[in-house]
Amino acid sequence: MRPAALIMGFLLAFSAMAATPDIYNFDSRAEEIRFQNLTSELRCPKCQNQNIADSNAPISRDMREAVYRMMKGGADNEEIIGALESRFGEFIRYKPKVNERTIWLWATPAIVVLIGLLVVIGIVLRSRASAAGARPLSEDEQRRAEQILSARDNDA
Amino acid sequence: MKRLLLFIPLLVVVILGVVLFAGIGKDPTALESALIGKSVPEFSLPELQNPDRTLDPSVFRGKVSLLNVWGTWCPSCREEHDDLVWLAEDKGIRIVGLNYKDDRDLALQWLERLGDPYEVTIFDPEGSLGFDLGVYGAPETYVIDGQGTVRYRHVGVVNEKVWREHLEPVVQRYREGN
């Protein structure tokens, strides 16, 4: 009884700590999903490793509300993200746009894969070249090799 | 040639070291404002001391100002307050206050008790101007030039060091521009 009550207490304490969801009314399920997608794509500028859907920082609540208001006003996703970006900066995008400042961010994985590919190709070509360069056995050597092999067979 | 290849790990370590070392001491929570080089967003809000007077971006016309975002609920604002008073009184810097998401009475008491470094204080209880400025945590301090253009933002406490190293050079530059 006692441990159960203790566990319940802990659970309640932690559930109170989670972000309290504000109540937003949507006309359709699709709109609600759109809202959830949008708010989980936007990064909270205050608590930097959370999206604004998960964060209960006051600024995230304001941003959620702005998203809701703009959605109700008929704005499309790019307009909403653009409006917030013009205030809070590119930081709020989890996926930064490709431009001269972020190009290395986007290009590095491709470059690393390319380097890896070149290394693999180099290794394969080199081992092929050394295999092709090996001298075939002369007739004498061939005969000796057969003798050795058949002797071993007889032993067995 | 083979021997030179042996130096590749060393090279990689050195480059990684330089990159990581450059990051030491940088504050990842300080973001550059998206409004640098743009005008202060439009607003029409009452003055803190005088609710009948409506303020708009023209308060920034004519002289380089600091725009300081504060609230009585914000402990770091208390920390920087004395330095703001010092800037206003000893250095003669024009500071515009933005009382952000606060209670008017509490804010007035605060200024009464601690001194008022602000030439004028904008009262923004809903945080609407704060939101348009991209304020994500008080205190924040902006440098606004005489044309009302945002030139710099500092997130966090202003003290003598921050003033000397970050704000003063910007203020000087735009003061000369006028």
Side-chain angles (χ1 to χ4, degrees):
Chain A
M1 180 56 211
R2 213 150 242 259
L6 209 67
I7 290 168
M8 271 308 277
F10 268 116
L11 287 178
L12 284 174
F14 282 114
S15 67
M17 271 159 63
T20 38
D22 312 278
I23 309 297
Y24 292 110
N25 291 314
F26 295 96
D27 299 333
S28 66
R29 181 82 184 121
E31 283 287 279
E32 194 178 336
I33 290 171
R34 195 182 142 214
F35 179 79
Q36 279 161 4
N37 286 341
L38 264 173
T39 51
S40 58
E41 256 173 46
L42 292 166
R43 188 175 179 185
C44 167
K46 182 73 191 168
C47 29
Q48 303 195 333
N49 290 324
Q50 277 185 309
N51 57 34
I52 64 169
D54 287 341
S55 157
N56 54 4
I59 188 63
S60 292
R61 184 169 311 137
D62 288 355
M63 288 168 80
R64 283 196 297 270
E65 230 175 87
V67 170
Y68 181 72
R69 255 200 333 266
M70 283 187 270
M71 270 181 72
K72 285 278 163 187
D76 66 31
N77 290 2
E78 255 328 290
E79 280 168 1
I80 292 172
I81 295 176
L84 290 171
E85 191 183 1
S86 71
R87 292 171 170 84
F88 296 94
E90 196 179 27
F91 181 86
I92 61 156
R93 276 180 195 264
Y94 270 115
K95 279 188 200 155
K97 279 193 216 154
V98 183
N99 60 31
E100 67 270 28
R101 239 185 73 202
T102 58
I103 185 67
W104 288 109
L105 198 63
W106 288 96
T108 309
I111 291 172
V112 170
V113 167
L114 207 73
I115 290 174
L117 218 63
L118 287 178
V119 169
V120 169
I121 290 173
I123 290 170
V124 168
L125 284 183
R126 190 178 288 182
S127 71
R128 250 197 218 157
S130 66
R135 185 175 56 88
L137 296 176
S138 70
E139 248 171 69
D140 266 0
E141 284 167 334
Q142 188 79 29
R143 219 171 298 128
R144 247 169 63 83
E146 270 162 26
Q147 260 173 15
I148 292 166
L149 285 171
S150 63
R152 208 179 59 180
D153 286 348
N154 290 342
D155 285 350
Chain B
M1 184 59 205
K2 270 262 155 74
R3 264 214 196 139
L4 283 179
L5 287 180
L6 291 176
F7 284 97
I8 286 181
L10 181 70
L11 196 74
V12 169
V13 166
V14 168
I15 291 174
L16 208 65
V18 169
V19 169
L20 293 179
F21 188 79
I24 291 178
K26 266 196 189 160
D27 181 5
T29 60
L31 306 175
E32 192 177 73
S33 168
L35 267 77
I36 304 289
K38 293 185 191 154
S39 298
V40 172
E42 281 303 319
F43 66 91
S44 172
L45 289 166
E47 186 183 6
L48 177 69
Q49 286 85 349
N50 178 8
D52 296 330
R53 182 178 169 208
T54 303
L55 300 169
D56 62 39
S58 67
V59 298
F60 297 108
R61 288 283 146 70
K63 197 176 168 193
V64 180
S65 332
L66 296 184
L67 170 62
N68 177 249
V69 183
W70 66 284
T72 56
W73 46 269
C74 146
S76 310
C77 300
R78 174 67 192 87
E79 195 184 325
E80 68 172 6
H81 196 84
D82 296 338
D83 288 301
L84 294 177
V85 172
W86 166 72
L87 277 178
E89 289 181 357
D90 292 11
K91 296 269 164 185
I93 303 301
R94 178 174 196 262
I95 309 178
V96 175
L98 174 61
N99 182 249
Y100 176 64
K101 292 191 174 180
D102 203 356
D103 177 272
R104 177 170 258 140
D105 291 334
L106 289 178
L108 288 171
Q109 279 168 31
W110 161 293
L111 293 181
E112 179 101 349
R113 195 157 44 89
L114 302 170
D116 184 353
Y118 307 111
E119 187 169 298
V120 60
T121 302
I122 306 161
F123 182 56
D124 185 13
E126 307 293 321
S128 62
L129 174 56
F131 191 78
D132 288 343
L133 276 168
V135 170
Y136 62 88
E140 290 187 14
T141 302
Y142 295 75
V143 178
I144 317 272
D145 73 12
Q147 278 78 48
T149 307
V150 179
R151 293 303 179 181
Y152 187 79
R153 164 169 77 173
H154 174 75
V155 177
V157 170
V158 171
N159 51 33
E160 204 183 326
K161 185 166 181 278
V162 170
W163 165 251
R164 255 189 293 112
E165 287 175 10
H166 300 289
L167 300 175
E168 192 174 20
V170 186
V171 169
Q172 288 297 355
R173 184 156 79 236
Y174 290 100
R175 203 181 257 165
E176 282 156 20
N178 281 340

